[in-house]
Amino acid sequence: MKVPVVVSGVGMVTPLGVSTESSWKAFTAGSSGLRPVTLFDASRWPSGMGGEVDTAALEALFTPGEIARHDRATLLLFAAAREALQQAGLEKDSDERRRRTALLLGSTLGGMPSATAYLRQRETENDHSRIPITPLREMLVQHQAHETCRRWGFEGESLVVSDACTSGTNALGFGLRLLRRGDADVVVAGGFDPFSEFSFAGFHSLLTIAPDVPRPFDQDRKGLQLGEGAAVMILEREPDARARGAAPLGRILGYGESADAHHITRPDPTARGAVLAIRRALKDAAVDPDDIDHVNTHGTGTPTNDAMEAKAIREVFGDRATRLPVTSLKGTIGHSLGAAGAVEAAVTLLSLRDGLVPPTLHHENLAADCDGIDVVSGDARRGVFRHALSNSFGFGGSNAAIVLSAP
Amino acid sequence: MTFAPAITGIGWVRGRERPNGAFRVAEEDLSILDSRPQARRMSRVSKFALAAALQAIEKGGWKDGPGPHDDVGVLCASTHMSTSFGHEFHRGFTGKGKPTAGPIHFTNGCLNTVGSHISLDLGLTGFNHTLVGGFNAGLQAVGTAVKMMQEGPCRAMLCVAAEELSDILIETYRRFRLIPPMAPGEGAVALLIEAPPFSRRPLARITGTWSGHGPDIPRDPSGAGLERAVRKVCDPAKTTCYSACANGTDLDGVEAAAVKRLFPSIEKCLPKKEAGEGFAYTSLLQIAAPMLEGKTGTFVAASQDRLGDISAVSFEVSGEAS
């Protein structure tokens, strides 16, 4: 029998707020985190929108020295990690437990803002030796993991997964497995990614950016908008958490993954891989499809993903799909890439806690190719949710799903 | 460790030493890709990885069809992935006027594209994961691979580590005063790893893996972290060969201190002498090299990254690598 794994702390930074509760309040109120881009000059691009975290609010959490020393990506991650550790009561921990604390992170870009700034300087400065190189340390995706281990003294395994948009979900899933095997006593797991001109240009080059707002599963959907953020969860084996007096916020019951092997960027329209990942997660969680009360979707607002994901939901849940409330956060905060899966899992946990599913912003009319699913739109929806599923699907055909339950 | 998966195939795309001290892959070493026209649009690191994966499959006697193979996955490791494509893409959108950055450079610059090409080519639908790390990332990937196979439902996987060199990468490490003394290297290693029962004669059995985070260099020059990692995976008294991460930098002294305490006298394998410092790629080469050299016995490979990540893998080599 698999040892139950609980979440004892959550930290989240999104375009809606720099804390879990401020973000959650805004998600359920139907607020939008999409605004004109301010972090770089977006005037050359067809769309100038994005989901940026409020810089002033983020920087207010740090000293001027920390802000000068660290890339934006590091600050996002630190803010989420600190909140999660504080909630779990582990921010100042014993040496013994820190030796057995692992860090598992998902990210696609790492410190890309630092890298982009360096490359820009390099293109205008003839003598490259005059350009400060310290910011380049922040560029490597594993650097943020190192800084986090260093700050809090973690000595267990430090692992960074870069699986495109499934990175955050995969980090949580790997953490679940690590705890079940007994390879760590505490796992700090999550995802982060900054808003970056590099990815902004990249998704524009792929013609996947919406001209206005993302409209997940809507008949008028034309693409996504990008965002940024971070979410971190503190995971422990339930007996260990209870023994030290921690109050579980919820459980991660199961995790499943697969690969499409179909196309480098487009999902497999048959949804074969997505269905496989979801079924594996359900099996790992030892729950049936009928036990799932809510699905937090990947729901990017692109024609291909949403049609594929709706098909997967119909295939797994059958007739129940028409009565199974699903939501997408990407209409609200954009697509935060490596952070997305972790943010969505965190919000799913809060949905279970409060019996409330946030609305899918900008969804008005269900598309014909997404028919047969029940998208929560307009107002947040109340209900009794015992188990929920959170999906993520990424470039390269990466598929991941995670099953969570109420405490 | 009671669960001991086997390495049944090895692929190595090797960088060869050039007059300027770097180890670079020659185009003729990628001839296995000639039958794959889609490879022409791939980044060099993707080509290296795919070529190594195909070698491992071929040498491992893989006879399964085109797929889908739901019980076989790909686990890739790299430190930098495609800096050349990423840099090219950046140049395309920062120039004056309308951005000219093309999607090929963006998508092939994505960190998980390397593994995706392998997954796509071979129909491997079990999973496709990419680990990003430093000097130890290849060893860490093997540890992750073993744990994934213990979980099931995976019966086999390709564990691949790859790096490419670019002008900007070399310039960066020169500025960090690591080149020299390191000689940079590019290439890829692929291991075909299977869970028991094995369909092919194993080349080696993986008997222990461990990864952790220790004090970053040079705060702890004693090598205590590396020593701890090795003791987690093997009995030093029963180990016949140590496959080193030595790369000519100050890390060598740290490693030597640990090795001296662990193994008063032991044969050493030094793969980076033949391949340069290839970061994640050469840490996986630390496992492949003894087999490729025809050695047998009980081995341990260990690596400590400058940022403090440490990994160790122990393995028993039973026969010659084909």
Side-chain angles (χ1 to χ4, degrees), chain A residues 44 119 122-123 128-129 131 133 142 146 155-158 160 162-163 181 257-259 272 280 395-396, chain B residues 70 87 90 93-95 97 107 111-112 116 120 125-126 129-130 132-133 140 147 151 168 171 175 213 307:
Chain A
R44 298 161 70 219
L119 289 174
R122 195 173 175 275
E123 272 146 35
H128 295 166
S129 68
I131 308 169
I133 58 165
Q142 59 270 29
H146 162 68
E155 294 186 18
E157 181 164 10
S158 170
V160 180
S162 194
D163 289 345
R181 280 193 305 268
E257 79 245 79
S258 73
R272 183 186 183 280
R280 281 177 167 169
F395 274 6
Chain B
D70 291 344
H87 190 202
H90 184 268
F93 73 77
T94 52
T107 53
L111 291 169
N112 73 325
S116 302
L120 192 55
T125 50
H129 292 305
T130 297
V132 184
Q140 187 177 32
K147 289 165 194 164
E151 301 289 320
I168 194 162
E171 177 187 300
R175 293 201 63 201
H213 189 84
L307 296 183

Side-chain angles (χ1 to χ4, degrees), chain A residues 226-248:
Chain A
L226 290 174
E228 64 176 351
V232 170
M233 292 191 187
I234 310 303
L235 309 181
E236 300 179 73
R237 286 181 292 273
E238 186 162 1
D240 295 342
R242 293 205 185 273
R244 67 174 187 87

Side-chain angles (χ1 to χ4, degrees), chain B residues 248-305:
Chain B
T249 67
D250 55 332
L251 288 180
D252 292 6
V254 176
E255 186 177 24
V259 169
K260 194 173 176 183
R261 289 194 299 273
L262 286 161
F263 312 108
S265 169
I266 193 168
E267 182 184 1
K268 294 182 193 63
C269 187
L270 302 169
K272 292 181 190 178
K273 282 182 99 170
E274 304 297 322
E277 175 57 80
F279 309 96
Y281 141 56
T282 42
S283 70
L284 199 58
L285 184 62
Q286 285 176 253
I287 294 179
M291 287 177 263
L292 293 166
E293 290 174 19
K295 294 185 190 313
T296 57
T298 307
F299 296 80
V300 65
S303 183
Q304 179 162 9
D305 181 65

Side-chain angles (χ1 to χ4, degrees), chain A residues 166-183:
Chain A
T166 59
S167 301
T169 306
N170 285 332
L172 293 172
F174 279 29
L176 173 69
R177 288 174 175 165
L178 206 71
L179 285 166
R180 283 175 174 167
R181 280 193 305 268
D183 290 339

Side-chain angles (χ1 to χ4, degrees), chain A residues 330-356:
Chain A
K330 293 188 174 80
T332 306
I333 57 170
H335 189 351
S336 52
L337 305 177
V343 168
E344 287 154 16
V347 169
T348 304
L349 209 67
L350 296 168
S351 289
L352 291 163
R353 181 191 73 179
D354 293 352
L356 194 60

